[in-house]
């Protein structure tokens, strides 16, 4: 043994390994609690990693001032190498072991297996390093081991590799290990309550797993699922899995019960609202109450009428009370509508309450004024209700089609006052019907002024069929009003009496017969 080595060791005893003394240099205290101020190996930056690991693995102990102190055990060296593989440098690893001493008492095989399991579920690379730094107990906690086993070995649920790594990283970052116990039972409970296995991954990838399952007891999760069953539980959860994030007693139940009370206890109607807009459950009871009370006190609507509007259009709750509801109701009142008129208007045109004013309603208002509508009139309000169902571009195209066929703005105004829906029909469909009226039926375009509802009927399903049937019987001089407005049943009976023909009589045609003062059909 050379003198330099003896001097380095501090006595006459020999080192257990042989490597160049140039790899050693005096070193200050390190972050390891078990290191003393002893000579420790340092490495040139160009020293190969394999050689450094080999040296670390071979090193077992040295004696300082007569006391034995372990620098690296075989497993410690391998641990340093393992952490280096996932992005930690030596300083990072030392700091990690210093702050989470439990790692020192874990076998290398256990830590290696835990890291491999985390990588298997998709938490790897920078995400894995970030997770270990923030939550080093993911490498030591037994609860994590049970969770990983469930995620990897679940042939019946087929979850392995299908839950998004970001979702799992969020779960492990945000959840104390003790709250992960029982997650498997809660997930299986979702399946027991009817969540299809093929949809389970969608639910688990969408919810906040910590709030929805981990922080709730098994009994709480079961009670929530049982409560939601009254309102179409499974389909409601699939429409908006985030519903499971809510607290049943403080959030979910009070909000649903408010809507249920407004409906007069109608669970089916309440369920319809929830399915149309599951996001309504994100609003507090105070928010829901504010909107309902405004419509009741300011617009003069009864609670029953308000519920009917909400049933048609739950997005009423999404409209700002100050920026949208108040000025829109003001507009209708200025146009001469009373509370009953406002109710009928909102049942037919609820979108009026939520559309943008600058980008939508204001532009449509300009078009209506240009064709002759006067401000603050009932006719203007009815026209505004009709055009809420179409885009600004389509409205402009519609007016252009009428003008191209020789009608004037006064003609368009006259037609739309009788049948406001002519302003909302698809402009391509509008052109096809006008072509058929003129070219195939041989009629004048101005006949539309007396019967603008012609433009609302389906061209192939009703106009062409009825015209061809009646043409064989009555010739070409028939009234287009009588031709189209008679019900499908009456038309079928009359046609069979005079000439047996096959008549299309579908459910969609029966829907087309529903009208008030005139036929109201929407092109799709």
């Amino acid at each position: 043994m050379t003198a330099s080595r003896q001097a380095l060791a501090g006595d006459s005893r020999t080192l257990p390994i042989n490597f160049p003394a140039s790899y050693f240099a005096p070193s200050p205290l390190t972050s390891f609690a078990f290191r003393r101020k002893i000579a420790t190996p340092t490495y040139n930056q160009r020293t190969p990693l394999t050689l450094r690991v080999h040296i670390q693995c071979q090193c077992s102990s040295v004696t300082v001032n007569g006391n034995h102190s372990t620098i690296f055990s075989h497993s410690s060296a391998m641990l340093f190498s393992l952490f280096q593989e996932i992005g930690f440098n030596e300083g990072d690893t030392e700091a990690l072991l210093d702050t989470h001493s439990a790692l020192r008492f874990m076998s290398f095989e256990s830590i290696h297996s835990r890291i491999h399991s985390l990588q298997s579920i998709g938490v790897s690379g920078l995400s894995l390093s970030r997770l270990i730094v923030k939550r080093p107990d993911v490498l030591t906690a037994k609860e994590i081991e049970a969770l990983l086993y469930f995620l990897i070995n679940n042939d019946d649920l087929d979850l392995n590799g299908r839950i998004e790594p970001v979702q799992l990283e969020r779960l492990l970052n945000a959840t104390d290990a003790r709250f992960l116990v029982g997650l498997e039972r809660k997930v299986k409970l979702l399946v027991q309550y009817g969540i299809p296995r093929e949809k389970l991954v969608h639910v688990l990838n969408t919810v906040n797993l910590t709030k929805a399952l981990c922080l709730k007891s098994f009994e709480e999760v079961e009670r929530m699922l049982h409560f939601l069953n009254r309102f179409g539980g499974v389909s409601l959860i699939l429409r908006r899995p985030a519903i499971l994030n809510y607290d049943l007693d403080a959030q979910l139940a009070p909000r649903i019960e408010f809507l249920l009370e407004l409906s007069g206890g109608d669970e089916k109607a309440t369920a319809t609202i929830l399915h149309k807009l599951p996001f309504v459950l994100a609003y507090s009871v105070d928010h829901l109450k504010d909107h309902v009370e405004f419509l009741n006190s300011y617009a003069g609507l009864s609670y029953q009428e308000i519920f009917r509007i909400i049933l048609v259009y739950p997005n009423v709750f999404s409209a700002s009370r100050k920026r949208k509801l108040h000025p829109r109701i003001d507009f209708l009142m200025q146009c001469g509508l009373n509370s009953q008129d406002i109710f009928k208007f909102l049942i037919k045109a609820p979108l009026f309450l939520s559309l943008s004013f600058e980008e939508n309603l204001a532009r449509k208002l300009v078009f209506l004024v240009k064709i002759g509508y006067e401000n603050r009139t009932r006719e203007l309000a009815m026209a505004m209700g009709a055009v809420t169902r179409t885009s600004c571009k389509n409205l402009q195209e519609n007016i252009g089609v009428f003008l191209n066929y020789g009608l004037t703005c006064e003609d368009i105004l006259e037609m739309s006052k009788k049948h406001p829906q002519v302003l909302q029909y698809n402009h391509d469909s509008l052109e096809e019907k006008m072509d058929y009226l003129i070219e195939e039926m041989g009629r004048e375009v101005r006949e539309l002024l007396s019967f603008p509802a012609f433009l609302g009927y389906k061209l192939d399903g009703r106009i062409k069929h009825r015209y061809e049937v009646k043409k064989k019987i009555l010739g070409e001089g028939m009234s287009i009003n009588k031709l189209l407005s008679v019900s499908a049943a009456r038309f079928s009976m009359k046609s069979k009496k005079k000439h047996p023909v096959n008549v299309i009589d579908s459910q969609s045609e029966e829907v087309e017969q529903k009208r008030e003062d005139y036929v109201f059909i929407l092109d799709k």
Side-chain angles (χ1 to χ4, degrees):
M1 182 177 183
T2 65
S4 61
R5 291 182 183 178
Q6 291 175 353
L8 179 64
D11 61 13
S12 59
R13 301 178 188 180
T14 60
L15 288 172
I17 58 174
N18 296 315
F19 45 77
S22 60
Y23 283 117
F24 289 85
S27 173
L29 285 172
T30 69
S31 59
F32 286 95
F34 60 87
R35 287 191 178 184
R36 297 190 178 96
K37 189 174 181 180
I38 57 175
T40 57
T42 60
Y43 310 104
N44 187 289
Q45 293 298 321
R46 297 182 179 179
T47 304
L49 172 63
T50 54
L51 179 58
R52 293 163 64 182
V53 173
H54 174 73
I55 293 171
Q56 292 172 344
C57 291
Q58 294 298 319
C59 182
S60 60
S61 67
V62 295
T63 303
V64 181
N65 298 325
N67 295 322
H68 292 279
S69 177
T70 301
I71 300 177
F72 285 113
S73 69
H74 181 73
S75 61
S76 296
M78 294 177 67
L79 189 60
F80 266 71
S81 178
L82 176 62
F83 278 114
Q84 190 169 39
E85 288 180 8
I86 61 175
F88 287 77
N89 59 34
E90 291 179 14
D92 296 333
T93 305
E94 289 179 358
L96 178 65
L97 293 173
D98 190 43
T99 57
H100 195 66
S101 58
L103 284 169
R104 297 178 189 152
F105 304 101
M106 295 284 292
S107 68
F108 171 81
E109 290 75 14
S110 297
I111 296 175
H112 181 272
S113 176
R114 184 69 59 87
I115 289 175
H116 178 70
S117 295
L118 288 167
Q119 291 171 331
S120 296
I121 64 173
V123 181
S124 59
L126 182 60
S127 296
L128 178 58
S129 303
R130 186 170 54 230
L131 174 63
I132 291 173
V133 168
K134 185 175 181 180
R135 296 293 302 272
D137 62 326
V138 298
L139 299 179
T140 58
K142 293 181 179 180
E143 296 88 347
I144 303 291
E145 183 178 0
L147 171 67
L148 294 174
Y149 183 84
F150 163 60
L151 293 174
I152 296 171
N153 302 282
N154 53 75
D155 295 337
D156 55 334
L157 299 179
D158 191 24
L159 300 180
N160 190 17
R162 299 181 63 200
I163 300 181
E164 296 175 1
V166 173
Q167 181 77 327
L168 293 174
E169 183 186 358
R170 187 182 299 119
L171 170 67
L172 294 171
N173 262 322
T175 313
D176 190 289
R178 59 199 170 100
F179 292 116
L180 296 173
V181 176
L183 181 62
E184 179 177 357
R185 286 186 67 207
K186 298 169 191 175
V187 170
K188 290 182 176 179
L189 185 63
L190 296 177
V191 177
Q192 292 173 18
Y193 267 81
I195 301 295
R197 294 176 188 273
E198 63 274 13
K199 299 289 185 180
L200 180 61
V201 171
H202 165 68
V203 173
L204 297 179
N205 277 329
T206 306
V207 300
N208 182 318
L209 290 171
T210 303
K211 289 183 178 180
L213 298 175
C214 295
L215 297 182
K216 294 186 177 79
S217 68
F218 180 86
E219 291 72 24
E220 287 175 316
V221 175
E222 186 172 32
R223 193 161 59 90
M224 173 179 283
L225 294 174
H226 182 72
F227 175 78
L228 290 175
N229 267 351
R230 294 168 53 191
F231 306 96
V234 171
S235 57
L236 185 58
I237 292 170
L238 293 178
R239 286 267 293 151
R240 184 172 172 78
I243 287 173
L244 295 175
N245 296 341
Y246 301 134
D247 181 270
L248 176 61
D249 297 321
Q251 298 172 311
L252 200 59
R255 295 166 191 179
I256 292 179
E257 287 168 1
F258 174 80
L259 295 174
L260 186 62
E261 183 180 354
L262 189 63
S263 73
D266 190 337
E267 289 192 3
K268 185 176 180 181
T270 302
T272 299
I273 291 176
L274 298 179
H275 282 270
K276 283 186 175 182
L277 184 68
F279 189 77
V280 74
L281 293 174
Y283 296 118
S284 67
V285 173
D286 287 340
H287 177 93
L288 301 176
K289 281 183 178 179
D290 284 346
H291 279 60
V292 169
E293 291 305 323
F294 170 78
L295 293 173
N296 173 250
S297 61
Y298 192 74
L301 302 177
S302 68
Y303 291 119
Q304 183 180 9
E305 290 172 335
I306 294 170
F307 182 80
R308 288 182 60 188
I309 293 170
I310 294 169
L311 189 59
V312 172
Y313 190 65
N315 289 83
V316 168
F317 289 119
S318 302
S320 167
R321 185 167 58 86
K322 292 182 179 179
R323 291 188 299 103
K324 291 189 174 181
L325 295 188
H326 198 291
R328 307 293 163 85
I329 297 298
D330 272 346
F331 171 82
L332 297 178
M333 290 178 171
Q334 291 169 10
C335 288
L337 276 63
N338 58 30
S339 60
Q340 188 61 31
D341 296 328
I342 291 173
F343 167 69
K344 291 180 179 179
F345 177 94
L346 294 179
I347 284 291
K348 292 182 179 179
L351 277 172
F352 178 75
L353 294 176
S354 58
L355 290 174
S356 165
F357 180 76
E358 292 80 6
E359 299 298 324
N360 195 300
L361 295 180
R363 295 173 62 188
K364 292 173 180 176
L365 189 60
V366 170
F367 290 131
L368 295 178
V369 171
K370 282 186 177 180
I371 63 175
Y373 278 97
E374 294 183 11
N375 193 22
R376 299 182 181 180
T377 59
R378 289 179 63 87
E379 290 81 6
L380 177 62
M382 295 302 105
M384 283 299 294
V387 299
T388 57
R389 299 186 182 94
T390 190
S391 66
C392 296
K393 181 180 179 181
N394 189 68
L395 174 59
Q396 186 175 12
E397 294 280 2
N398 273 5
I399 294 172
V401 169
F402 288 130
L403 295 175
N404 289 339
Y405 277 81
L407 297 175
T408 65
C409 287
E410 290 76 12
D411 295 331
I412 301 171
L413 178 64
E414 182 182 345
M415 281 195 304
S416 61
K417 283 184 176 181
K418 290 182 179 179
H419 191 65
Q421 291 75 29
V422 297
L423 298 171
Q424 73 186 34
Y425 295 141
N426 178 274
H427 68 275
D428 290 327
S429 174
L430 203 64
E431 193 166 2
E432 288 180 3
K433 293 171 186 176
M434 293 178 73
D435 281 340
Y436 189 80
L437 176 71
I438 297 168
E439 297 173 7
E440 300 298 326
M441 299 178 68
R443 316 305 280 265
E444 293 291 333
V445 70
R446 296 191 66 80
E447 287 192 51
L448 294 175
L449 299 182
S450 59
F451 188 59
F454 170 88
L455 298 170
Y457 290 101
K458 293 182 179 179
L459 180 60
D460 293 324
R462 195 176 187 100
I463 297 174
K464 286 185 179 180
H465 168 71
R466 290 197 175 191
Y467 176 70
E468 292 299 326
V469 170
K470 287 296 186 179
K471 182 179 177 182
K472 297 175 183 178
I473 302 171
L474 303 175
E476 297 183 354
M478 65 191 82
S479 164
I480 59 173
N481 189 334
K482 292 182 179 180
L483 175 69
L484 298 173
S485 60
V486 65
S487 69
R490 288 188 61 192
F491 179 81
S492 177
M493 290 179 61
K494 288 183 178 181
S495 299
K496 285 180 179 180
K497 287 180 181 179
K498 297 185 178 182
H499 193 277
V501 293
N502 292 324
V503 179
I504 300 175
D505 186 11
S506 65
Q507 184 179 1
S508 62
E509 287 188 333
E510 289 301 324
V511 173
E512 292 173 0
Q513 301 308 308
K514 295 180 180 180
R515 56 196 180 95
E516 295 179 3
D517 300 326
Y518 44 74
V519 180
F520 176 83
I521 309 294
L522 291 180
D523 267 358
K524 294 184 178 179

